[in-house]
Amino acid sequence: MNREEKIKYIEHPSDVGFEVYGDTLEELYANAAIAMYSFMTDLDEIAEDVERAIVLNSEDLYSLMFDWLDELIFLFDSESLVMRSFDIAIDESNFSILGTCKGGKFDPSRHESGIIIKAVTYNMMEVKKNEEWSARVVLDV
């Protein structure tokens, strides 16, 4: 499956959401980030000239997904950064992420403006493994 097949956008009455899939937790969380940022702008237009380290620890995989996407929203809100590639390691037993993200500055005069994401929610959130990892996330807009 290519990345486009591993991201599905879902309808929600007042917010936006997506389902993502991955062969590994790292792929799942990277696809979740791509899905979220795709609501905001065309990722193909964003450079990869900025790198940020990511270190997160949470209580479970749900909280880790929440904290991961929340951190990426913070990077957008505080520095106008849109990340598009991810070199991360996830420790499933300690619910932690360690790694780096690469992306670039969002410039509304040059980049397509999409939906403004206010926050991640726990509404309808799922993170599970069957044949592959899957997650469902709803974002507050």
Side-chain angles (χ1 to χ4, degrees):
M1 253 189 206
N2 62 31
R3 178 168 269 155
E4 289 79 31
E5 294 170 324
K6 292 194 174 203
I7 299 173
K8 295 179 183 170
Y9 299 95
I10 58 175
E11 298 210 14
H12 190 276
S14 59
D15 295 319
V16 296
F18 57 83
E19 291 178 353
V20 288
Y21 305 89
D23 294 327
T24 64
L25 275 173
E26 289 80 6
E27 183 182 22
L28 180 75
Y29 281 64
N31 287 341
I34 294 295
M36 180 184 73
Y37 280 129
S38 294
F39 284 117
M40 302 164 89
T41 192
D42 180 358
L43 291 180
D44 293 333
E45 302 287 319
I46 301 294
E48 286 190 43
D49 55 359
V50 177
E51 184 174 288
R52 291 289 181 270
I54 299 287
V55 179
L56 296 171
N57 291 296
S58 296
E59 303 82 43
D60 53 39
L61 290 177
Y62 293 90
S63 299
L64 189 61
M65 179 65 77
F66 182 98
D67 293 344
W68 163 247
L69 296 175
D70 190 55
E71 179 69 16
L72 297 176
I73 290 170
F74 173 76
L75 289 175
F76 181 81
D77 289 345
S78 64
E79 299 181 59
S80 298
L81 292 178
V82 173
M83 299 308 190
R84 50 176 288 186
S85 68
F86 308 92
D87 182 15
I88 57 174
I90 297 177
D91 184 332
E92 187 180 349
S93 61
N94 290 323
F95 311 114
S96 64
I97 296 178
L98 177 63
T100 58
C101 303
K102 288 185 182 174
K105 287 254 186 200
F106 174 79
D107 179 349
S109 68
R110 290 191 353 240
H111 300 116
E112 178 183 329
S113 291
I115 297 169
I116 296 172
I117 305 296
K118 293 182 198 171
V120 186
T121 73
Y122 280 105
N123 178 35
M124 297 173 48
M125 184 179 281
E126 288 183 359
V127 177
K128 61 185 178 181
K129 183 171 185 189
N130 292 320
E131 297 84 44
E132 65 181 344
W133 285 98
S134 65
R136 180 186 307 130
V137 176
V138 173
L139 304 166
D140 184 25
V141 296

